[in-house]
Amino acid sequence: MSVRQPSAYRPTKPDIAVFVSGVTSMGLEILAGRIIAPQFGSSIYTWGSIITVFLTALSLGYWQGGKRSGEASNRRMCWLMLGTAGYVAIVVYGSDQLLLSASALPLPARYASLPAVLILFGPPTYLLGFISPYAAELSAKEGTGEASGHVYALGTIGSIVGAGATTYFLIPALGIDAIGLLFGFVLVGTALALTLPALAPTPAAASVAIALLLVVAAGIGPVAFDHRGDVVYQTQTAYQELEVIDNGGERTLYLDGARHSAMDLDDPDRHVFEYTRYFHIPMLMVDDPDDIENVLFIGGGGYTGPKDYERTYDVDVDVAELDPEVSQAAKDYFRLEEGENMTVHTKDGRQFLRETDKKYDVIVLDAYQKDQVPVHLTQLGFMELAADRLTDDGVFLANIISAPSGAGSDFYRAQYKTIDDAFASTYSYRTSDWGSVQNIEVVATKADTDFTEADLAERNERRDLGLDLRTEIDASLDPPETDDVPVLTEDHAPVENLQASTVGQEYVIERTGEAETKPEPASIAVGSERDDRARPAPPLEFESSIPGSGPLGSAPA
């Protein structure tokens, strides 16, 4: 019996063009998330905008390419590749400034990223859409069905390679500009290959010019003064952009452009932000702070909160931090030292709680993706899991960013309602006397308690916690109205919709050592609609300078 030998497959020039277009289009789509996130976050609306723009641009490219397929040639595909590479150079050079300009457009938060994505990635994706119908027209396959199937397969394989390589290799290893430069060179190299062996002078000259443009764009970047200070360290992790910036004697950790932790370089134990002092309120709600043995922080950041607990109390501190690069930066730049009483677990907080059988006396939730708590850490199932992992006397604290009432308070009220469903008693504390968006600390006890401000003030007087919490106790809030907001469940947790109510609000964060804190432009919801409801509420008597510890590293601040 004879065995039929499979014929060797030799890709044609159109085949190579289709494969490369698939690699670069999907690679750019993955990269778009990293470019857009520092300005607009990585919510479902951001990714929805990215996917919508890419699919729309590709569809238009397919349509127009099909209408013009009679003009298809390797030379035309060469120019499409070069045009795409040239636009990639524009993206590399001008994305930061364009993102800032786009963020000023008067759009609701859910649509805010759409113009930036459209301008940055619509044109190059549209050009790449021409490649597939051109390649099908030039295919040597017999019949329209065989030619189109062959092109679809090659393009999809290229997309798989582009998505996988960008996600698992390029982003962890290279910066955004370097990845853009690589894609540009791949497109230029493919364009040249399409003209071989007879290298026409015009495409050759254009290829050299665009290659130089890519190098210049990636090499010099836009000249701009970084108002945040001196960049000490910057990297792209598997999850986000990470920056460490020094300014005026303070070191700040930025994740995707949002502040997540700060440390006073001269006095590392000082609280830079007032809200981190509230993390000690659970020690007033337990029966005896001397009996506290195990504390869990979900979210690490600069690790100043966990370090504060380890230093102040005789406790063992576990930290569940998903991004190992964040933990390493805390060790290198924020004086984190793992030891007998400090253990870092590189895991998602919910996964860690699900897999551990350890009981904790205090659990602090302070995990953020840029400016919002990850959705799966807001849901009732997570809250019930946290309650189950607490001791009978255990206390849970969640740091959230929202307005305490009125416009912008929807997420706070929904989160309060969800926590209150999982725990016996729930309390909340504002951290600023402004009525705008701020850090709100929601504290819940597993046991049925009924603490009054007087009760906590009396405990504050008796207990030596290392800091005076009178001001924090006085900042307690009445239970919010929750009839018009949902309990956040696995089936229904519209966090993005709830946080959209912060459009036009300003984010205020009290800082120690300052006579007055003024609100900053909103960081939770991007948009330029203003609202005069962000004004001071009845004043709280905040202490302006109290020695303590630096802030926990997961809250945008």
Side-chain angles (χ1 to χ4, degrees):
M1 181 177 67
S2 63
V3 179
R4 185 176 180 181
Q5 298 293 329
S7 58
Y9 170 67
R10 299 185 62 182
T12 63
K13 292 178 181 179
D15 289 347
I16 295 172
V18 169
F19 178 80
V20 170
S21 70
V23 170
T24 52
S25 63
M26 187 56 70
L28 287 174
E29 184 169 351
I30 299 297
L31 191 63
R34 306 312 294 270
I35 293 175
I36 298 297
Q39 186 65 43
F40 296 100
S42 55
S43 70
I44 188 173
Y45 298 122
T46 299
W47 276 106
S49 296
I50 291 171
I51 295 171
T52 299
V53 167
F54 271 80
L55 291 179
T56 301
L58 280 174
S59 298
L60 290 174
Y62 294 153
W63 178 47
Q64 288 297 316
K67 290 178 64 176
R68 302 179 184 180
S69 60
E71 307 169 356
S73 67
N74 289 336
R75 186 181 178 90
R76 285 187 176 273
M77 288 194 294
C78 166
W79 285 111
L80 288 169
M81 292 283 186
L82 290 177
T84 305
Y87 205 92
V88 168
I90 296 174
V91 172
V92 169
Y93 180 81
S95 59
D96 289 345
Q97 185 57 50
L98 189 141
L99 288 172
L100 287 173
S101 300
S103 68
L105 295 176
L107 292 174
R110 66 181 64 186
Y111 307 116
S113 63
L114 191 58
V117 178
L118 183 62
I119 296 171
L120 284 173
F121 299 101
T125 309
Y126 170 74
L127 293 177
L128 290 174
F130 279 73
I131 300 297
S132 290
Y134 276 20
E137 181 69 19
L138 298 172
S139 175
K141 302 295 182 181
E142 295 182 1
T144 302
E146 185 179 4
S148 59
H150 181 71
V151 167
Y152 292 154
L154 282 176
T156 302
I157 293 171
S159 296
I160 294 170
V161 172
T166 305
T167 300
Y168 298 111
F169 299 103
L170 296 182
I171 288 178
L174 302 174
I176 289 175
D177 290 351
I179 298 172
L181 181 65
L182 176 62
F183 285 147
F185 279 153
V186 168
L187 289 165
V188 170
T190 305
L192 283 174
L194 292 174
T195 65
L196 295 176
L199 186 60
T202 303
S207 298
V208 172
I210 291 175
L212 290 175
L213 181 64
L214 285 163
V215 171
V216 171
I220 64 173
V223 178
F225 171 73
D226 195 331
H227 68 280
R228 300 174 301 174
D230 300 324
V231 179
V232 177
Y233 177 68
Q234 188 276 335
T235 189
Q236 291 286 332
T237 80
Y239 301 95
Q240 57 212 329
E241 180 184 46
L242 184 155
E243 299 168 289
V244 178
I245 296 178
D246 287 354
N247 186 17
E250 292 180 359
R251 173 165 292 170
T252 304
L253 174 69
Y254 286 83
L255 298 177
D256 275 343
R259 292 176 297 173
H260 278 241
S261 185
M263 181 178 73
D264 188 322
L265 294 173
D266 296 325
D267 183 8
D269 294 344
R270 179 177 75 86
H271 286 264
V272 176
F273 302 131
E274 286 277 6
Y275 79 87
T276 60
R277 294 170 49 82
Y278 291 73
F279 293 163
H280 294 267
I281 286 180
M283 301 303 283
L284 297 177
M285 294 187 176
V286 296
D287 288 341
D288 186 349
D290 291 335
D291 292 338
I292 302 304
E293 297 179 351
N294 299 302
V295 175
L296 172 65
F297 280 82
I298 297 176
Y303 277 78
T304 345
K307 288 186 299 178
D308 193 18
Y309 258 73
E310 181 195 29
R311 179 178 58 252
T312 306
Y313 311 113
D314 182 20
V315 296
D316 291 332
V317 180
D318 287 332
V319 183
E321 168 56 59
L322 180 62
D323 192 338
E325 295 284 350
V326 169
S327 299
Q328 188 60 49
K331 294 175 182 177
D332 294 340
Y333 301 101
F334 293 89
R335 304 189 183 185
L336 169 66
E337 294 182 5
E338 285 194 81
E340 182 179 350
N341 301 114
M342 174 75 72
T343 307
V344 175
H345 305 269
T346 305
K347 281 187 177 180
D348 170 77
R350 186 163 182 167
Q351 178 188 5
F352 176 80
L353 280 178
R354 189 168 54 244
E355 295 176 356
T356 187
D357 56 2
K358 190 173 182 179
K359 293 286 187 175
Y360 291 94
D361 301 293
V362 175
I363 295 177
V364 177
L365 171 63
D366 194 31
Y368 274 83
Q369 292 176 331
K370 183 178 171 63
D371 49 27
Q372 71 176 44
V373 181
V375 173
H376 66 291
L377 300 182
T378 68
Q379 297 165 345
L380 181 61
F382 169 77
M383 301 305 170
E384 293 173 338
L385 179 60
D388 184 64
R389 295 298 184 268
L390 282 171
T391 58
D392 292 340
D393 184 33
V395 181
F396 173 81
L397 182 147
N399 176 41
I400 66 175
I401 310 288
S402 184
S405 61
S409 69
D410 292 351
F411 175 64
Y412 156 57
R413 294 184 295 113
Q415 189 69 104
Y416 182 99
K417 186 175 185 178
T418 304
I419 294 173
D420 197 47
D421 260 25
F423 289 88
S425 301
T426 309
Y427 310 84
S428 58
Y429 300 84
R430 64 189 307 149
T431 62
S432 172
D433 60 353
W434 287 77
S436 55
V437 175
Q438 59 186 269
N439 295 81
I440 298 176
E441 311 308 318
V442 180
V443 187
T445 58
K446 187 171 181 177
D448 189 5
T449 57
D450 188 20
F451 292 117
T452 65
E453 291 183 28
D455 295 332
L456 297 179
E458 190 270 335
R459 288 189 174 192
N460 179 62
E461 290 292 329
R462 287 192 293 107
R463 297 180 177 182
D464 183 14
L465 301 182
L467 73 169
D468 187 351
L469 296 174
R470 286 175 298 179
T471 299
E472 288 69 31
I473 295 169
D474 291 341
S476 64
L477 293 166
D478 292 331
E481 174 57 52
T482 59
D483 290 343
D484 62 334
V485 291
V487 171
L488 304 176
T489 66
E490 283 71 8
D491 182 60
H492 183 61
V495 173
E496 290 88 356
N497 280 343
L498 294 168
Q499 289 193 321
S501 66
T502 59
V503 171
Q505 290 276 358
E506 292 174 306
Y507 175 52
V508 62
I509 178 169
E510 299 289 343
R511 298 171 61 88
T512 63
E514 294 186 353
E516 180 182 3
T517 299
K518 296 182 179 180
E520 300 176 359
S523 65
I524 292 179
V526 179
S528 63
E529 299 174 12
R530 309 310 298 165
D531 193 324
D532 61 4
R533 287 170 287 189
R535 57 169 64 94
L540 301 174
E541 295 180 356
F542 282 94
E543 300 174 12
S544 62
S545 181
I546 302 174
S549 69
L552 177 65
S554 289

